[in-house]
Amino acid sequence: MAKYQEACAQAKAAGDDRKARMHERIAKQYQSAIRAHKAGRPVHYEELPVPPADPGAEQGFAAVLDAATKLVSDEAQEAEEGEEEEAKETKPPAAQTPKKPMLAVPPTVQGRQKSPSPSLERLAQKEGLSPTAQQQVDFLEGRKKQYMKAALLAKQKNDMEQAKVFLRAAKGFEPMIEAAKSGKAVDISKVPSPPGDEDEDFIMVHHSDVQLSEKAEEVYAQLAKLLKEQYEKSMMYSKQFTHLGNITETTKFEKMAERCKKNLEILKLSQARGLDPPKHHFEERTYKTVRIFPDLSSTEMVVVIVKGMNLPAPHGIATNDLDAYVKFEFPYPSTDQPQKLKTNVIKNTNCPEYNQSFTLNINRNHRGFRRIVQSKGLKLEVLHKGGFLRSDKPVGTAHLKLEKLETESEVREIVEVIDGRKPTGGRVEVRVRLREPLSGQDLQTICERWVVLEQPQVVL
């Protein structure tokens, strides 16, 4: 603290107010730590900044990375031992036959099941925690280990700045872990996503000396595309359940994403060696998911005007000369002060494609908003854009009901365009989204065709 107070005084004398304020804040952080220590409360020393001139900073950083190295090696060894024991138990003794070399793939500890562990209930009773609290602790500690391993990998690539970023993120889990151990509820929607989800993880390895047939190249490209799509879906479902606080489903989909990622690595290695594509098969999988749009806040409603279809042209306008746009009105916060917006003009077509999104301000808990959703809905009007000194001409109107938002997070309808009460034959496709339904959850059952790679055998 004295060092930072001295640095603050020097910065003030030099006229550097920004640096002075920074050192003053750090000094106050040390003062708070001193008060906590005197009061008998625990102090997290690793969270206190170390003066740049102090060699202990880099030593501490190296010590943490060494601990991460030990963590990875110990877990990998445990996983390998568990696999060997499992193989001994499940495989009957057989005659010794020559074994083909296997493709060397680094073990992925996160997605691998270890030998059976005590149930959550017994573990929770042992530590004096409820099963839910123990589940949260396990989830947070697992996520912390992921960031420690990411820091280790960054260090091995000599990217020390990235390693420090991952280490700081790993330390950020410690207060949440302590809160969970003390019985406090932790909002896992604020927990950072697993590190290493960047697209560059999926860049295929290219070797100029590798010769593959056109058919093999096509199979590799198709498998890579399917696996990447499966990875993205798994991560999307994981994030949805994270926002809902469902740890079990979050972990399940994270493990599925990890398996897809491992299969992509196998695919890259096989292609780089010029091997035939690995054997694979398809499985029909059924998942129960909850549809949610986590990018939206609880005060936002998104209206998407997708396209118009076979819109009628006003009198005196040819169909191919129709310059149509759509404007809509949502009577919130009141009918006297509705929110009004409109699309761009698409010229010379009666089937315009807009694909424009508009964000409306709402209060999902307000009784007036719920009443409008249940009774009034969204009013749309299609118009033809007039030219110089010519006013816009109406094409027709449409109405979108929004009652489904009570139980669904998205309403998607193709509404009919009418002229007064007379159908015109034209239609408009519209979507309306909320972060989540107004009542309950938008539960969905999804059936998908999932590609699964079989473990390849290769000659190295």
Side-chain angles (χ1 to χ4, degrees), residues 130-160:
S130 67
T132 302
Q134 184 61 47
Q135 194 178 33
Q136 287 187 337
V137 170
D138 293 342
F139 175 76
L140 292 169
E141 288 181 343
R143 188 60 60 84
K144 177 184 174 183
K145 288 179 181 179
Q146 288 178 302
Y147 275 93
M148 294 287 284
K149 293 172 189 175
L152 175 62
L153 292 174
K155 180 199 172 188
Q156 291 172 349
K157 295 177 182 178
N158 293 323
D159 190 350
M160 302 304 290

Side-chain angles (χ1 to χ4, degrees), residues 49-187:
V50 180
D54 193 337
E58 289 301 323
Q59 293 174 1
F61 176 69
V64 175
L65 284 175
D66 290 340
T69 306
K70 187 176 184 300
L71 173 70
V72 174
S73 60
D74 290 347
E75 288 190 354
Q77 184 176 359
E78 288 178 10
E80 292 295 342
E81 291 175 356
E83 278 196 349
E84 290 177 2
E85 292 177 2
E86 184 178 352
K88 289 179 182 178
E89 293 176 359
T90 55
K91 291 185 179 180
Q96 293 293 329
T97 56
K99 296 183 179 179
K100 295 182 180 180
M102 302 297 291
L103 178 64
V105 179
T108 305
V109 179
Q110 176 195 355
R112 178 175 292 161
Q113 295 290 334
K114 297 182 182 179
S115 56
S117 59
S119 66
L120 277 177
E121 288 78 4
R122 283 183 290 171
L123 188 59
Q125 290 174 0
K126 182 179 177 182
E127 298 187 4
L129 297 176
S130 67
T132 302
Q134 184 61 47
Q135 194 178 33
Q136 287 187 337
V137 170
D138 293 342
F139 175 76
L140 292 169
E141 288 181 343
R143 188 60 60 84
K144 177 184 174 183
K145 288 179 181 179
Q146 288 178 302
Y147 275 93
M148 294 287 284
K149 293 172 189 175
L152 175 62
L153 292 174
K155 180 199 172 188
Q156 291 172 349
K157 295 177 182 178
N158 293 323
D159 190 350
M160 302 304 290
E161 290 301 321
Q162 186 64 51
K164 290 179 181 179
V165 169
F166 284 137
L167 273 180
R168 282 195 292 270
K171 289 182 179 180
F173 285 95
E174 293 175 0
M176 290 187 280
I177 293 172
E178 291 299 324
K181 287 182 177 179
S182 64
K184 297 178 181 178
V186 177
D187 184 4

Side-chain angles (χ1 to χ4, degrees), residues 20-35:
R21 288 194 300 271
M22 179 185 71
H23 289 310
E24 187 176 6
R25 282 196 299 270
I26 297 175
K28 288 181 179 179
Q29 188 176 349
Y30 272 91
Q31 286 178 349
S32 300
I34 291 170
R35 285 196 297 269

Side-chain angles (χ1 to χ4, degrees), residues 240-296:
Q240 289 175 348
F241 281 107
T242 299
H243 280 273
L244 294 172
N246 190 327
I247 297 176
T248 303
E249 294 297 317
T250 297
T251 306
K252 181 182 81 173
F253 284 110
E254 280 184 359
K255 288 181 178 179
M256 288 173 57
E258 189 65 29
R259 284 194 290 272
C260 292
K261 200 171 181 179
K262 180 181 177 181
N263 284 337
L264 276 162
E265 292 298 325
I266 293 174
L267 209 62
K268 287 193 292 185
L269 291 172
S270 298
Q271 188 177 23
R273 287 166 173 75
L275 305 174
D276 290 335
K279 293 182 179 180
H280 58 279
H281 64 275
F282 290 88
E283 298 177 357
E284 293 290 337
R285 296 192 178 182
T286 303
Y287 306 112
K288 289 194 176 294
T289 63
V290 178
R291 184 166 60 172
I292 183 175
F293 295 98
D295 295 337
L296 301 181

Side-chain angles (χ1 to χ4, degrees), residues 144-375:
K144 177 184 174 183
K145 288 179 181 179
Q146 288 178 302
Y147 275 93
M148 294 287 284
K149 293 172 189 175
L152 175 62
L153 292 174
K155 180 199 172 188
Q156 291 172 349
K157 295 177 182 178
N158 293 323
D159 190 350
M160 302 304 290
E161 290 301 321
Q162 186 64 51
K164 290 179 181 179
V165 169
F166 284 137
L167 273 180
R168 282 195 292 270
K171 289 182 179 180
F173 285 95
E174 293 175 0
M176 290 187 280
I177 293 172
E178 291 299 324
K181 287 182 177 179
S182 64
K184 297 178 181 178
V186 177
D187 184 4
I188 68 166
S189 65
K190 298 180 180 177
V191 175
S193 300
D197 296 339
E198 295 82 2
D199 289 340
E200 54 263 27
D201 291 337
F202 305 118
I203 297 175
M204 301 300 292
V205 179
H206 177 71
H207 285 248
S208 58
D209 57 338
V210 172
Q211 297 295 327
L212 290 173
S213 67
E214 291 184 4
K215 183 178 179 181
E217 289 282 4
E218 184 179 341
V219 173
Y220 269 116
Q222 187 66 20
L223 285 175
K225 179 184 176 183
L226 291 173
L227 287 171
K228 188 173 181 181
E229 287 176 355
Q230 290 175 186
Y231 172 84
E232 291 171 349
K233 286 179 183 177
S234 299
M235 290 304 301
M236 179 184 70
Y237 296 146
S238 171
K239 289 176 182 177
Q240 289 175 348
F241 281 107
T242 299
H243 280 273
L244 294 172
N246 190 327
I247 297 176
T248 303
E249 294 297 317
T250 297
T251 306
K252 181 182 81 173
F253 284 110
E254 280 184 359
K255 288 181 178 179
M256 288 173 57
E258 189 65 29
R259 284 194 290 272
C260 292
K261 200 171 181 179
K262 180 181 177 181
N263 284 337
L264 276 162
E265 292 298 325
I266 293 174
L267 209 62
K268 287 193 292 185
L269 291 172
S270 298
Q271 188 177 23
R273 287 166 173 75
L275 305 174
D276 290 335
K279 293 182 179 180
H280 58 279
H281 64 275
F282 290 88
E283 298 177 357
E284 293 290 337
R285 296 192 178 182
T286 303
Y287 306 112
K288 289 194 176 294
T289 63
V290 178
R291 184 166 60 172
I292 183 175
F293 295 98
D295 295 337
L296 301 181
S297 72
S298 58
T299 60
E300 294 177 330
M301 182 174 80
V302 171
V303 176
V304 183
I305 307 297
V306 183
K307 61 183 177 180
M309 294 170 279
N310 298 321
L311 298 178
H315 180 70
I317 304 295
T319 301
N320 293 337
D321 294 332
L322 183 65
D323 300 338
Y325 68 95
V326 180
K327 70 177 183 180
F328 62 91
E329 177 180 306
F330 185 64
Y332 183 82
S334 67
T335 53
D336 296 331
Q337 295 178 323
Q339 298 183 64
K340 298 181 180 181
L341 294 162
K342 63 181 180 180
T343 67
N344 296 329
V345 177
I346 304 296
K347 295 185 176 183
N348 303 324
T349 178
N350 69 333
C351 294
E353 294 194 9
Y354 300 102
N355 293 314
Q356 281 188 259
S357 299
F358 305 90
T359 302
L360 305 183
N361 297 317
I362 63 167
N363 181 353
R364 57 184 291 126
N365 297 321
H366 191 259
R367 285 185 297 178
F369 171 72
R370 287 178 174 264
R371 187 164 54 248
I372 291 170
V373 166
Q374 293 169 358
S375 61

